[in-house]
Amino acid sequence: MGDSETFGVEKGHGEKVIEWLNEQAKIQGSKLEARLYGYVLSTKNFGDFEMFSWIGDVKVARKMINKASKKFKIRIIEGGYKPREKLIRIKKFDYAKVRKDEKTIGQIEFEASRFGKGQWEIKNEERH
């Protein structure tokens, strides 16, 4: 079981996408539960995203969020890519791909404080 808070859907589509993801997980018998946590992330290159968290299998989560992108014709943030280097840092980092349909259109590097309940913030973003 894994989890991530660096997944997002294009602003205005959060409720219906999360509802669809949870419904599909039940139909398929997959161990996945997604929920919005009331945080909107604004990017310079890709627009605004409603961020959500999920609990379950990362492969299932990535597959289903990509299907949602295709079904609803929206951009999504597919997070949970951890840095390879094992350095001790004051902040925690995560990497994400920005996709539309099944095409990667960019990348985002997130950072958040290790202490307290700091929200993820964008450290770097780039278009492909």
Side-chain angles (χ1 to χ4, degrees), residues 15-77:
E15 289 289 330
K16 67 182 175 189
V17 170
I18 297 304
E19 186 177 305
W20 182 83
L21 287 172
N22 289 327
E23 186 179 298
Q24 291 298 307
K26 283 181 187 174
I27 291 169
Q28 296 175 9
S30 300
K31 293 184 177 184
L32 180 75
E33 181 185 339
R35 59 175 77 122
L36 291 170
Y37 60 96
Y39 181 58
V40 175
L41 182 78
S42 296
T43 66
K44 293 177 197 170
N45 295 314
F46 311 110
D48 297 336
F49 292 87
E50 294 178 62
M51 303 302 284
F52 69 94
S53 61
W54 59 267
I55 298 171
D57 183 11
V58 68
K59 287 182 182 180
V60 172
R62 287 195 173 124
K63 182 178 169 185
M64 289 179 64
I65 191 68
N66 282 310
K67 281 185 179 180
S69 173
K70 198 171 192 174
K71 177 178 176 49
F72 295 104
K73 296 179 178 21
I74 58 170
R75 291 183 303 269
I76 54 105
I77 295 176

Side-chain angles (χ1 to χ4, degrees), residues 58-101:
V58 68
K59 287 182 182 180
V60 172
R62 287 195 173 124
K63 182 178 169 185
M64 289 179 64
I65 191 68
N66 282 310
K67 281 185 179 180
S69 173
K70 198 171 192 174
K71 177 178 176 49
F72 295 104
K73 296 179 178 21
I74 58 170
R75 291 183 303 269
I76 54 105
I77 295 176
E78 178 189 317
Y81 294 96
K82 303 294 180 200
R84 288 188 184 247
E85 69 270 0
K86 297 287 183 189
L87 300 175
I88 298 174
R89 299 180 181 175
I90 294 173
K91 296 192 179 237
K92 56 185 177 178
F93 289 85
D94 203 5
Y95 297 89
K97 294 179 183 181
V98 180
R99 294 180 179 262
K100 182 156 186 177
D101 292 331

